[in-house]
Amino acid sequence: MSQFGSCPHHNAIDAVATLVHHIQATHLTGHAGALFLFNIASFFDMVNPKHTTQVFRLKGFPMYVCDWIHSFLTGRTVSLKMGTHISAPCAVYNGMLQGSPLSPILSALYMASLLDMATCWSHKDLNIIYR
């Protein structure tokens, strides 16, 4: 597993060189290849509470923890402020609270299933680039 971001002496050029190497190596073996890119810039905004609760149930968390997580992710509202005007509250149906210390923990567990599945793929090379 390769990590490039926030690592000394590694940069975008290293990441691209590694990617090109893997593409060429895959081509030479005659296998088909796939590249999955995840843009997590707005990840916290897109988390679905129902799906998140289901993921935690499938991971074996007790029902009271799953219910608490669902409660944490639902029933929120947002108001917009422009100058002195404040809008009426609007319901928020998706997303985690940004800035909460719990959000990175929940999101890591939420994505863990995908990473677990990826480790079982044949002819795989899972490279993670952190930014």
Side-chain angles (χ1 to χ4, degrees), residues 47-97:
V47 173
N48 180 286
K50 258 188 193 179
H51 186 254
T52 303
T53 305
Q54 181 65 18
V55 166
F56 280 81
R57 281 189 187 123
L58 292 173
K59 288 189 172 298
F61 281 80
M63 194 55 142
Y64 69 89
V65 173
C66 296
D67 290 342
W68 184 86
I69 291 168
H70 190 264
S71 167
F72 176 77
L73 297 174
T74 58
R76 293 178 289 120
T77 60
V78 64
S79 296
L80 300 176
K81 181 178 180 180
M82 295 183 77
T84 58
H85 175 74
I86 300 176
S87 72
C90 298
V92 176
Y93 298 105
N94 284 319
M96 289 188 192
L97 295 170

Side-chain angles (χ1 to χ4, degrees), residues 19-41:
L19 177 60
V20 169
H21 168 76
H22 287 296
I23 291 169
Q24 291 172 339
T26 300
H27 180 71
L28 287 174
T29 64
H31 289 104
L35 172 66
F36 292 96
L37 301 173
F38 296 97
N39 179 358
I40 60 170

